[in-house]
Amino acid sequence: GYLARGQQAAIIGDTNAAAVYLTAAKEAGASGDVLDIPLGTVGNTLAAEKMVYQNHQGKVWALALIPGGKQFISAGADGAVNLWNIGSAQPMHTWKDAQAGIFMVAVSPDGRYVAVPAWDGHARVYEVASLKLVHDWVYGTVQADFATFTQDSQTLIVVDIRGRASVWRLGESSPTWRFEHGDQAVGLPALSPDGHTFAVPMRTGEISIWDVKHKRLVRRLSGPHASFATVASFSQDGSMLAVGGIDATLSLWKTADWSFAGKLVGHNSGIMYIDWSPKGDQLATGDRSGELRTWSRKGAPLGHFKGEDGIVFDIDWHPEQPWLVSAIGNSSIVLDGQSLATLGRFQSQGSTIFRT
């Protein structure tokens, strides 16, 4: 259970994992010295680690935690990307990525890569362990709105402000797919885990389903969203597609026959990001107001978190631990995957980053 795993993590000094498991155990009803003593020790350790990180020459616009909870990435107006070890006041490495600003960064689910779509039309991918630039792709001449890795961490999807999507496979020098739909903007698309199907949410509220190999439109899904469909995401096994809309609702689709599987209601603002859990039994959604929700695979509401006012730019489930990380406004927040209780926070103010 959570208590035993938390106690073990505390003994071996894995403070962040211990905090997650022990907090989850407390939420589940555990009590007494067997919980309070290690939880207190872990809390004191984390409190001592609260500190200020400062190395940028301009405003910090992007924060992302590396899976594992021991490192994080920052980027911003100065075009620099910093890799930090949590607890160290000096960055482990700094990449001067672009002359223009960097609005967001995307970390692969396995924690090996960080992608930096910049305002100069380039999407650069760095390997975290070696600190090396492994790809420098040109996706256009305008800034990216979104970037995300597929769940196998081998493919990057970039969408620019004109609604053009590019799909890049690590190890290849040119995109495997470019999608344009005239002047119509698109939301954040999704590539199926097997790489065969590309789902593109449209401004009309429809979802275009494409056969990647033959680059042809298979069908259009319509009905649940009256206006802009903003984001799509496939489950780990590829059997379900979740689509969010500016109408604050979420639709579920069975990919075997593309039948409608249900509509989820709970958000009060347009949905901006969706991510399925590693086991595919839950999905997390975030909206324009900084609200996150978790749902069961069948659509039952599970958890709720309301952060600061600000768009949810990213949600990533930890590949092994029961928590997720979300970028909301100018913060990066660690949350319990079940209750969505806050376990840690990194927040930027101007050129400074605080761990709170």
Side-chain angles (χ1 to χ4, degrees):
Y2 284 143
L3 179 58
R5 296 172 77 176
Q7 292 170 328
Q8 183 180 13
I11 290 171
I12 65 176
D14 191 346
T15 307
N16 291 289
V20 173
Y21 288 126
L22 293 172
T23 301
K26 186 175 182 179
E27 292 285 338
S31 61
D33 289 347
V34 293
L35 173 70
D36 295 339
I37 291 175
L39 189 57
T41 301
V42 166
N44 291 336
T45 302
L46 291 176
E49 290 180 356
K50 292 181 180 179
M51 60 183 305
V52 175
Y53 303 84
Q54 190 167 20
N55 192 54
H56 286 279
Q57 304 303 311
K59 289 185 177 181
V60 177
W61 289 339
L63 293 173
L65 282 171
I66 304 295
K70 297 181 180 179
Q71 296 177 308
F72 72 97
I73 296 284
S74 64
D78 59 358
V81 181
N82 287 310
L83 172 65
W84 306 83
N85 282 327
I86 294 174
S88 174
Q90 295 297 321
M92 179 180 174
H93 191 72
T94 297
W95 297 283
K96 182 59 179 177
D97 188 83
Q99 298 301 316
I102 299 166
F103 191 64
M104 71 169 298
V105 293
V107 178
S108 62
D110 62 8
R112 292 184 58 193
Y113 304 102
V114 57
V116 184
W119 286 3
D120 60 4
H122 287 248
R124 300 176 179 89
V125 178
Y126 300 93
E127 189 174 56
V128 174
S130 67
L131 308 178
K132 292 181 180 179
L133 174 67
V134 293
H135 287 289
D136 185 357
W137 293 314
V138 179
Y139 64 82
T141 57
V142 296
Q143 76 184 67
D145 254 359
F146 289 103
T148 184
F149 281 93
T150 52
Q151 293 165 348
D152 64 359
S153 299
Q154 294 301 304
T155 301
L156 181 71
I157 301 173
V158 180
V159 180
D160 68 25
I161 60 173
R162 294 178 181 172
R164 297 175 299 190
S166 300
V167 180
W168 306 81
R169 187 76 178 171
L170 296 186
E172 298 181 3
S173 59
S174 58
T176 59
W177 178 269
R178 285 190 188 274
F179 176 86
E180 295 188 40
H181 197 271
D183 295 327
Q184 182 182 154
V186 302
L188 184 59
L191 186 67
S192 62
D194 63 10
H196 295 166
T197 306
F198 195 46
V200 184
M202 311 296 292
R203 181 177 290 277
T204 59
E206 297 175 309
I207 305 96
S208 297
I209 305 299
W210 291 80
D211 178 331
V212 173
K213 181 178 180 180
H214 300 98
K215 293 183 172 56
R216 63 183 181 89
L217 181 65
V218 176
R219 68 178 63 221
R220 291 184 186 272
L221 308 178
S222 62
H225 304 288
S227 58
F228 203 161
T230 50
V231 57
S233 179
F234 284 96
S235 62
Q236 287 279 21
D237 60 6
S239 66
M240 297 288 290
L241 175 70
V243 179
I246 202 68
D247 59 0
T249 67
L250 185 78
S251 60
L252 298 178
W253 304 83
K254 296 179 181 179
T255 61
D257 57 3
W258 295 110
S259 60
F260 178 60
K263 187 174 184 178
L264 311 185
V265 178
H267 283 277
N268 295 307
S269 184
I271 296 175
M272 301 304 293
Y273 207 92
I274 302 170
D275 195 40
W276 290 83
S277 65
K279 294 181 179 179
D281 57 343
Q282 292 179 239
L283 64 158
T285 55
D287 67 24
R288 294 177 62 88
S289 70
E291 182 180 51
L292 282 89
R293 291 183 177 272
T294 51
W295 315 79
S296 73
R297 185 182 179 91
K298 295 183 178 180
L302 299 175
H304 171 259
F305 172 82
K306 181 63 175 76
E308 63 189 69
D309 290 336
I311 295 173
V312 176
F313 291 112
D314 188 31
I315 304 172
D316 291 298
W317 290 84
H318 192 285
E320 299 174 354
Q321 308 290 359
W323 68 70
L324 54 85
V325 178
S326 180
I328 306 175
N330 65 342
S331 297
S332 191
I333 302 172
V334 186
L335 300 164
D336 178 81
Q338 293 289 331
S339 65
L340 290 187
T342 303
L343 303 172
R345 179 191 297 264
F346 292 79
Q347 186 168 4
S348 64
Q349 295 180 6
S351 61
T352 304
I353 303 164
F354 300 89
R355 182 179 184 181
T356 60

